Amino acid sequence: MDEKIGHRFMKETYYDRMPPSDQQRRVAQPPLEGERDDAGPITELPPSSSMDPNPVSFLRLVEERRSVRSYGERPLELRELAYLLWCTQGVKDVVADAATFRTVPSAGARHALDTYVVVRNVADLEPGLYWYRALRHQLAMVRGPEDPVAAATEACLGQSIVAACSVTFFWVAVPY
């Protein structure tokens, strides 16, 4: 009987088979946040504390979670977008300019993901492509396709819901 692919994957990616990590080899930490040459206008975001979501138990949250494929035309508020950005990549603390503690985990606090949003319908924010500057809790508009919503829809295999939602989040791995 042939070995199942899942078992083979686990064997071949087991830690003993992997070279030492950059952290183990004491490779310098990458910058806490990258820079972009094409960063345009900056939007200061409201602090995460400006959003006061109704507290709900974790169990209720899990039980009532549903996928929605139909969106209203009410614009997302800027404070709502700011809260979502903070929840998905927000910086809680910076330690000695060497590491960040964020709302999401990262092995060795290296945080190799950048967050981009394609904005279609957010109050007080021009539609376009934005980069989330997590350390500063800001959005920077960046150069992108002429029609970022159409490009995002195409990148998401033509799913019409991407063209209908207020914001589409993209996470991009940034090797250093």
Side-chain angles (χ1 to χ4, degrees), residues 33 42-45 85 131-140:
E33 183 172 74
I42 302 294
T43 300
E44 297 288 338
L45 295 171
L85 286 163
W131 167 51
Y132 178 51
R133 300 173 69 182
L135 283 176
R136 297 168 189 90
H137 194 56
Q138 299 171 331
L139 282 176

Side-chain angles (χ1 to χ4, degrees), residues 21-99:
S21 70
D22 286 351
Q23 190 174 17
Q24 291 168 326
R25 294 184 303 127
R26 301 194 186 288
V27 171
Q29 177 92 0
L32 297 183
E33 183 172 74
E35 288 296 327
R36 290 193 54 113
D37 294 338
D38 65 344
I42 302 294
T43 300
E44 297 288 338
L45 295 171
S48 60
S49 59
S50 72
M51 191 69 191
D52 188 22
N54 295 328
V56 63
S57 77
F58 181 73
L59 180 61
R60 183 173 168 207
L61 185 71
V62 170
E63 288 176 341
E64 293 182 7
R65 192 215 64 79
R66 300 287 181 270
S67 293
V68 176
R69 303 275 191 276
S70 175
Y71 307 111
E73 276 303 310
R74 179 188 69 80
L76 190 68
E77 293 179 32
L78 188 59
R79 69 184 177 91
E80 293 171 318
L81 175 58
Y83 186 71
L84 291 171
L85 286 163
W86 185 83
C87 287
T88 59
Q89 273 299 324
V91 175
K92 297 189 295 183
D93 195 17
V94 177
V95 180
D97 291 330

Side-chain angles (χ1 to χ4, degrees), residues 116-120 152 156 161-163 165-170:
Y116 289 84
V117 290
V118 173
V119 171
R120 185 184 73 81
C156 294
I161 59 171
V162 176
C165 64
S166 294
V167 176
T168 303
F169 282 66
F170 289 92

